[in-house]
Amino acid sequence: MSDLRFIRVEWDSEIAVVIIDRQDKHNALNADVIAELDQVFTALQGDDKVRGILLTGAGEKAFVAGADIGELAKMDSLSGVRVSRGGQGVFLRIERFPKPVLAAVGGYALGGGCELALACHLRIASGNARFGLPEVGLGIIPGYGGTVRLARLVGLGRALELTLTGEMIDAERAREIGLVSAVVPRAELLERSKELLRKVTKNGPVAVRMALESVYHALDTSMPEAMDFESALFGLLASTGDMKEGMSAFLEKRQPEFRGR
Ligand code: COA
């Protein structure tokens, strides 16, 4: 992870804190930020010490205020498809990441920033967070998966209202509609996010990975096929040391020590 200009990675034992830091542009996602996100997630995927990712924006004002409008303004049809496909690919990699990814949203999460939070598995906001998909006001649509993921998360009616009006909602409304699971004071955002993430990372890493795989697989397939897949993963887990450890620990009334295999 050398040569990063816009992303910092900090460590808190098993959690990697990934910070998008382009504060002069409210952490807007230009092509370099997107490429660095890809680079960072590739590196973290292969790092066995990492059991969870906390993704956040630097500064008080923004998680990410969207794709970089200066760059978008220059695109034509062909490069537009390329930009959309590129962002979609990186966000899909985050959504399909084999370890839990939590978005800690302080300030603006607009356009691509909202879409980035949607690609994460868990979301927590601070009271000053603002969510929205303002793209239609710029004459475009969300192009990093927002028209696909938002409706799945909050329902068609609410997703259409946000997508078609382009208006922002505050953190409390985001919680009401299920866009985030909690709203916390700004000063506590990172600690409370780590607390939630640790409720996941304390569990068997292989089980967590397969739970993610099964849930996301089910979104893209028929129910019978999804049930087959779930059973196959369930059976596979029975061959892991983590299952033996988890069940032995319960029966021996002690805390499990999972090794992720
Ligand atoms: N792309 C590029 N630059 C952006 C940006 C984006 N998505 N969002 C903010 N910036 C830049 C501003 O141009 C400004 O840069 P400058 O100081 O060089 O002029 C800087 O970040 C600060 O933004 P500013 O608008 O002055 O801050 P604000 O606090 O008054 O308003 C927002 C904050 C988020 C409401 C406003 O910046 C905004 O509407 N941003 C665009 C949101 C958007 O449409 N996102 C979807 C893009 S597809």
Side-chain angles (χ1 to χ4, degrees):
M1 276 192 272
S2 54
D3 301 333
L4 295 174
R5 274 182 68 203
F6 298 116
I7 297 188
R8 283 185 283 125
V9 183
E10 294 172 0
W11 305 91
D12 190 342
S13 58
E14 83 286 14
I15 294 177
V17 182
V18 176
I19 304 162
I20 300 175
D21 191 351
R22 195 181 171 223
Q23 292 182 56
D24 58 329
K25 298 290 179 192
H26 285 340
N27 302 328
L29 302 172
N30 63 12
D32 289 340
V33 181
I34 299 264
E36 288 187 13
L37 269 177
D38 197 30
Q39 190 188 336
V40 164
F41 273 86
T42 303
L44 295 177
Q45 184 158 348
D47 187 337
D48 286 344
K49 292 190 305 297
V50 177
R51 292 218 175 156
I53 317 289
L54 193 163
L55 180 60
T56 195
E60 297 297 309
K61 292 210 168 142
F63 172 68
V64 166
D68 189 299
I69 299 171
E71 282 188 359
L72 295 182
K74 296 183 194 127
M75 70 188 171
D76 59 20
S77 296
L78 283 181
S79 59
V81 173
R82 221 169 33 238
V83 164
S84 172
R85 284 293 188 196
Q88 280 179 355
V90 176
F91 286 17
L92 193 62
R93 144 166 250 159
I94 292 173
E95 183 180 72
R96 300 302 156 100
F97 202 67
K99 309 171 193 195
V101 185
L102 180 149
V105 178
Y108 295 109
L110 302 177
C114 185
E115 294 174 289
L116 179 58
L118 288 171
C120 296
H121 309 131
L122 301 162
R123 284 157 295 279
I124 287 196
S126 60
N128 70 332
R130 297 287 178 273
F131 293 84
L133 293 175
E135 282 89 343
V136 286
L138 297 164
I140 56 172
I141 62 170
Y144 294 165
T147 65
V148 181
R149 292 195 177 95
L150 185 60
R152 288 178 169 187
L153 190 65
V154 304
L156 186 59
R158 287 160 172 162
L160 280 173
E161 189 178 333
L162 278 168
T163 309
L164 299 181
T165 64
E167 291 199 339
M168 288 186 229
I169 55 170
D170 65 16
E172 204 42 57
R173 178 70 184 145
R175 194 191 54 76
E176 272 168 24
I177 67 174
L179 185 47
V180 299
S181 46
V183 180
V184 302
R186 182 67 185 88
E188 296 171 24
L189 179 62
L190 288 190
E191 277 319 305
R192 298 280 290 274
S193 297
K194 286 178 192 170
E195 260 171 42
L196 176 59
L197 204 45
R198 289 213 159 92
K199 290 183 183 177
V200 184
T201 58
K202 73 175 175 31
N203 298 317
V206 188
V208 167
R209 188 175 97 211
M210 293 198 179
L212 285 168
E213 272 183 40
S214 193
V215 167
Y216 283 106
H217 178 80
L219 288 177
D220 295 336
T221 190
S222 68
M223 186 177 274
E225 214 267 310
M227 294 293 188
D228 287 348
F229 190 68
E230 184 188 70
S231 295
L233 295 184
F234 190 82
L236 198 56
L237 283 164
S239 69
T240 62
D242 278 1
M243 187 194 95
K244 289 181 187 60
E245 171 62 11
M247 296 201 183
S248 305
F250 177 81
L251 296 172
E252 292 161 15
K253 300 189 188 307
R254 62 174 173 82
Q255 289 302 312
E257 279 181 37
F258 293 114
R259 292 173 189 278
R261 55 183 77 116

